[in-house]
Amino acid sequence: GTLNVRPSITMGISMYPVDGDTFAKLLSRANTAMRYAKSAARGTYRFYAGEMSRINDDQVALENDLREALERNELELHFQPKVDIATGRVRSAEALLRWRHPTRGMVPPNVFIPVAEETGLILPLGEWVLRQACRQLREWLDAGMSPVRIAVNLSAKQFHDADLAAIVRSELNDARLQPGYIELELTESALMCNPEESARTLESLSAMGVHISIDDFGTGYSSLSYLRRFPLDKLKIDRSFIRDLLVSADDACIVRAIISLAHSLRLRVVAEGVETHQQLEFLRELGCDQYQGYYCSPAVPADQFVALVARLRAQMPELTEADMLKTQSRLSAFVPQTSGQ
Ligand code: C2E
Ligand code: MG
Ligand code: MG
């Protein structure tokens, strides 16, 4: 097939002599203006302006701190349950990265993940997340907690890293976990920018037994033929469609359509950002399989998560390991072995 590449140019402009009288200064300010333009939109340009310098200094300081965050043990994972709508069971949990900065306090991922992506730090950071998720699971299983799958977010850079499958395999091995304990969340844009390569990567992960979901579904664009080709387990409907579900007829239509699309592709559907009982009941009527959201719980630190699951599971029948390991992937040649753990 043909590959459609659409290059775009983003430009930053500085002017002699107002922005600087040396080449180095002009270049650095043009660079600042370019970063600024990039954060606004692709394919645009900006002239350097004085206040950009301050914003840029903040950015550089944040980058430097982030480089050290790993060594200084400032990162932690919080966990948010994904709940079966029909039974109320907690089947899995999403690991969400938190950065406890010594002076800035909690830095939200929406602030530091883009910085990590831009600087390439996302690779070591993402590897840490995967390792920590596996270690945490091993610790919980050893302590006798009933099985739960952990979903890890992958950024596009990580997904396109040639070492991804090897890294996943080695972290699973180190923690002595069956691959079905891990789910990877990818965005539409990460998957669709090079769908042939994505298909190969997904196939090797899925054949290993790892589960795959599409995150923030509906906000990017997906090719339907690839949706069918990719070995996926679930679609996660973006929070923005759930927020106004009860007041916006358009959003209700979109949610209904995503659920029916997912089910006809034999995928499960998860609604993100469910905050009220009414939203949950509506999703139940629409046949949505699982939900995640403050209505059940926000993401909480590991110790609180154990208590939360114990409380939620007190009323539920136990989830068996075989049940948890079930996959929707068409590569379901993978048969979970009975646990020797
Ligand atoms: P996401 O993967 O779509 O994660 C869901 C976000 O929605 C989380 O925000 C979660 O705390 C929030 N959320 C969950 N339930 C509700 C709700 O009922 N109402 C509202 N208003 N929000 C809810 P968070 O933790 O701030 O993460 C934001 C984004 O940062 C994530 O979006 C994900 O794209 C990224 N991210 C987080 N951790 C990682 C990571 O380890 N690696 C990578 N690559 N990205 C990560
Ligand atoms: Mg996610
Ligand atoms: Mg999401």
Side-chain angles (χ1 to χ4, degrees), residues 186-193 214-222:
L186 291 150
T187 60
E188 290 169 282
S189 48
L191 292 173
M192 298 298 168
C193 84
I214 301 194
D215 205 352
D216 308 336
F217 189 78
T219 57
Y221 65 91
S222 282

Side-chain angles (χ1 to χ4, degrees), residues 264-289:
S264 53
L265 294 171
R266 277 187 278 134
L267 304 176
R268 292 198 195 104
V269 207
V270 188
E272 297 181 331
V274 174
E275 296 182 355
T276 68
H277 182 68
Q278 288 85 343
Q279 287 169 331
L280 178 60
E281 287 314 308
F282 193 48
L283 288 162
R284 189 195 306 278
E285 274 170 42
L286 295 179
C288 187
D289 303 288

Side-chain angles (χ1 to χ4, degrees), residues 155-173:
S155 80
K157 268 224 177 80
Q158 284 174 277
F159 182 64
H160 294 113
D161 179 17
D163 295 334
L164 176 66
I167 291 171
V168 172
R169 193 187 292 277
S170 114
E171 296 306 340
L172 286 164
N173 279 341

Side-chain angles (χ1 to χ4, degrees), residues 36-53:
Y36 211 81
K38 266 193 182 165
S39 69
R42 297 262 151 201
T44 183
Y45 65 91
R46 286 289 182 278
F47 283 91
Y48 176 80
E51 73 268 19
M52 286 180 183
S53 208

